[in-house]
Amino acid sequence: MTQLEQARQGIITPRMQEVACKESLDVEYIRHGLETGTIVIPANMNHPHAEARGVGKGLSTKVNANIGTSSDFIDLDTELNKLDIAIQSGADAAMDLSTGGDLPHIRRTILQRSTIPIGSVPIYQAGVQALKNHDAVVKMTEDELFDAIYDHCRDGIDFITVHCGVTQRVISLLKQQKRITDIVSRGGAFLMGWMLYHLRENPLYEHFDRLLDIAREFDVTLSLGDGLRPGCGADATDRAQVEELVTLGELVQRSREAGVQVMVEGPGHVPLKQIEANILMQKRLCQEAPFYVLGPLVTDIAAGYDHITSAIGGAIAGAAGADFLCYVTPSEHLSLPNVEDVKQGVMASRIAAHAADVAKGVAGASERDRKMSIARKKLDWETQAKLALDPEKVRQVHEQHHTSGKACSMCGDFCAMQLVSQHLDIDMHKC
Amino acid sequence: MTQLEQARQGIITPRMQEVACKESLDVEYIRHGLETGTIVIPANMNHPHAEARGVGKGLSTKVNANIGTSSDFIDLDTELNKLDIAIQSGADAAMDLSTGGDLPHIRRTILQRSTIPIGSVPIYQAGVQALKNHDAVVKMTEDELFDAIYDHCRDGIDFITVHCGVTQRVISLLKQQKRITDIVSRGGAFLMGWMLYHLRENPLYEHFDRLLDIAREFDVTLSLGDGLRPGCGADATDRAQVEELVTLGELVQRSREAGVQVMVEGPGHVPLKQIEANILMQKRLCQEAPFYVLGPLVTDIAAGYDHITSAIGGAIAGAAGADFLCYVTPSEHLSLPNVEDVKQGVMASRIAAHAADVAKGVAGASERDRKMSIARKKLDWETQAKLALDPEKVRQVHEQHHTSGKACSMCGDFCAMQLVSQHLDIDMHKC
């Protein structure tokens, strides 16, 4: 039985216990969230050594790190280093998006090593193989696509991105309204190419029940991909994007009815003032299914710094109700990220997630800020380091200049907090 | 005459022309903004070689970089390097916050070198000298404070932070409501110490007309400092902070009446959901005076990455109407920044400012994003670099991995935009 099916029967599983403990919440709250579909626990039966992470309503905002090879850069060791640093930096999940090299071997090695849930996009494997076997991505057969999905699920992948909402109607809306960047989702592009070539409906939509059967067998969480996510601010919240979301809402309901855990993916590039509306729309159309957003990026011109662009959008999205932030690294739009990029990406997303948690009132979030601020007032540097998101970084930056007193080298002898303490204390004493 | 006095008489000055040209706006719009006080042009008569920057309603959001020595680290060359890199990175203004070494010499050297407006906090000099001459910051005399202000203005400083709103009433509210980090503004701390020691009202409040006379003589823009800005999220939007802002609103009106340009400084550490209210409150209480915010920082626990924390808050503040963002560097809270920190701080603030400009509908902001997105779709890497906030960074990251085709190494053979173009083009052709 899936976690969802068990929740329905009132069963508390060890995974639910684990999540309740991590979130400092009652386990009945977690069970109820699973039952109603507002919470998912992506945990494949065949990936038992990964820790459980809950994603959804009332839980802390989670962070995902994308790793994986490309056809231009294939080195498994580098990808494993990225996985390690993502976990060390506090990522809650990672996705193996490999498209270069021996994909099954890479996937299995990552799954074996990972102590956090792993997601993937199975159509990449089907597309890469089709290019090899049939000389064109679009020549993949439906069976090859579903076989790739089955392989990923059987291997232990905890959540899979499936672009089920890229329908012929969506494509006609895309052609009608026009866009600057058309489709920027690789999975979405594979499917659209296939549909235009074969003049057929999206097999993942047409045979959604076949997908549900596979997911249920291993308790894989479906992550309904947004193949139409906008690739630039000018394309955001257009008819193609919203039509896809309407369809994803229908599929959320069908997944739940089938006992399959499901979440929904979202944009992308979205101007700041459109973010809240996008979150509200997803929550309404998809009956409060957990929302997993990529960014959103609030401007298109910050290439080289898109971890920051994305932290801005992610914090606003999280505060408005997004549950899961996919990181963006400084290399986004330009290059496959390196190991240091992965760390920068995770840290930026964790800042966004925590700022959102403070805004959402997630248990313990403000309290950690309060403790940090008390340590800051006391000029207690070691406690500040321990409470910070990146203790090592705090120690290293604090020591980059010599300090003559207790205050840091920014203010030296003229630390405001130190000055005020002296005078307020004397004054209070006088009263 | 000050720019404000000239605007009132219907005079269009070369500074107004310069700003209108930079912003692609009609010069009459700029003149009218100066007249009503919603726009300032910080441009000291004695700093003629600096370019003019307009700050305020309808203009692009501006970015300031803080530089300057501390008692722990005194090296003028390093500070000049920081100034250079701030200007190269696109900062619109810089503040010399030096508190270590020969302050007048440092200030004059920075002013001489700078092609952008320079701000300062004159009370630092008065406090540092008082410590030297009288063995305590709080033993500065009122004349020494005003003399320091006069020195800065005569030397050519374009805008000065003056913490005029730290009144005895504010201090009593602070003591009553209590805070975790009390006062974190150095200028505010100097004044509060002085007021508690002498049991006197704030001289900058009591003798505000004396300040106005000095500012008017050189057309220095007053930046009414927020000595009570919260130093942590838990202290945000409390009675002490709001009372100070009410007073600053009164002083905005008095400044305008005296023909002195004026803007208002704001927080600080503010939880995400309180930012919009803070901007609205300032705009109402201060009759739409330009708002110059430090951050705001949306969480307290991201030391080492507070340029990102601050970019999140800055973007939200800017979108809500803040006009001028003071950068925060990765070293904030921990150490005096180094040269690379300055660059990182400016870039993060520029991202926030631009995201805000897109949201506010500032002329040309969305258009630049649109052009970038067209270049992105075409895989035109050089045009992307040119349109990006940091062209060099874009080129460097793009080339970090070898690419076999036209797409970047992230997607290699499987670039969505390239795949879609092929198939959509064929399809369109068929129709």
Side-chain angles (χ1 to χ4, degrees), chain A residues 125-151:
Chain A
Q125 183 182 324
V128 170
Q129 282 176 342
L131 184 64
K132 203 170 145 193
N133 299 338
H134 313 303
D135 291 323
V137 170
V138 294
K139 290 184 184 168
M140 76 172 87
T141 66
E142 289 185 14
D143 278 342
E144 284 168 349
L145 174 54
F146 280 98
D147 286 349
I149 293 171
Y150 191 85
D151 284 353

Side-chain angles (χ1 to χ4, degrees), chain B residues 14-33:
Chain B
R15 294 298 198 189
M16 296 178 207
Q17 289 282 12
E18 205 183 328
V19 168
C21 180
K22 262 203 190 76
E23 306 274 346
S24 306
L25 291 170
D26 192 277
V27 70
E28 173 54 25
Y29 179 86
I30 307 297
R31 189 206 60 75
H32 184 256

Side-chain angles (χ1 to χ4, degrees), chain A residues 70-73 99 127-128 131 137-138 174-175 180-186 189-190 192-193 196 199 231-234 269 271-273 298-309 311-312 315-316 319 330-338 341 343-344 347-348 351-352 354-356 358-359 368-370 372-374 376-377 381 384 387-390 393-394 397-398 400-405 407-417 419-421 423-424 427-428 430-431, chain B residues 70-73 99 127-128 131 137-138 174-175 180-186 189-190 192-193 196 199 231-234 269 271-273 298-309 311-312 315-316 319-320 330-338 341 343-344 347-348 351-352 354-355 358-359 368-370 372-374 376-377 381 384 387-390 393-394 397-398 400-405 407-417 419-421 423-424 427-428 430-431:
Chain A
S70 76
S71 58
D72 279 336
F73 188 79
T99 54
V128 170
L131 184 64
V137 170
V138 294
L174 174 69
K175 287 196 262 180
I180 292 176
T181 55
D182 296 321
I183 284 184
V184 295
S185 147
R186 273 185 290 185
F190 284 12
M192 197 200 75
L196 289 174
L199 299 174
C232 65
H269 290 242
L272 196 146
K273 293 241 167 155
V298 291
T299 164
D300 307 315
I301 63 165
Y305 300 87
D306 276 329
H307 59 312
I308 297 178
T309 319
I312 295 170
I316 298 169
S331 284
E332 184 76 21
H333 297 114
L334 298 172
S335 160
L336 198 71
N338 59 36
D341 286 333
K343 176 169 181 179
Q344 294 305 316
M347 294 314 304
I351 292 169
H354 183 75
V358 171
R368 184 166 167 189
D369 280 44
R370 213 180 66 85
M372 177 74 164
S373 306
I374 292 169
R376 183 164 279 155
K377 175 70 179 176
W381 299 101
Q384 286 181 66
L387 287 165
L389 288 174
D390 186 350
K393 174 87 174 172
V394 167
V397 176
H398 181 57
Q400 78 185 356
H401 289 113
H402 168 79
T403 54
S404 55
C408 85
S409 57
M410 178 105 168
C411 299
D413 299 340
F414 303 100
C415 170
M417 290 191 299
L419 288 169
V420 167
S421 290
H423 293 287
L424 262 188
D427 189 71
M428 296 293 203
K430 276 197 291 196
C431 296
Chain B
S70 78
S71 59
D72 279 335
F73 188 79
T99 55
V128 169
L131 185 64
V137 170
V138 295
L174 174 69
K175 288 197 263 183
I180 292 177
T181 55
D182 295 323
I183 284 183
V184 294
S185 146
R186 275 185 290 186
F190 284 11
M192 197 200 75
L196 290 173
L199 299 175
C232 64
H269 289 242
L272 196 146
K273 294 242 169 157
V298 290
T299 164
D300 306 317
I301 63 165
Y305 300 87
D306 276 330
H307 59 311
I308 297 179
T309 319
I312 295 171
I316 298 169
S331 284
E332 184 75 23
H333 298 114
L334 298 172
S335 161
L336 198 70
N338 59 36
D341 287 334
K343 174 167 183 181
Q344 294 305 317
M347 293 314 305
I351 292 169
H354 183 75
V358 170
R368 184 166 167 188
D369 281 44
R370 213 179 65 86
M372 177 73 163
S373 306
I374 292 169
R376 183 164 279 154
K377 174 70 179 178
W381 299 101
Q384 286 182 66
L387 287 165
L389 288 173
D390 186 350
K393 175 87 174 170
V394 167
V397 176
H398 181 57
Q400 77 184 355
H401 289 112
H402 168 78
T403 53
S404 55
C408 85
S409 58
M410 178 105 167
C411 299
D413 299 338
F414 303 100
C415 170
M417 290 190 299
L419 288 170
V420 167
S421 290
H423 293 289
L424 261 190
D427 190 70
M428 295 295 200
K430 275 197 293 196
C431 295

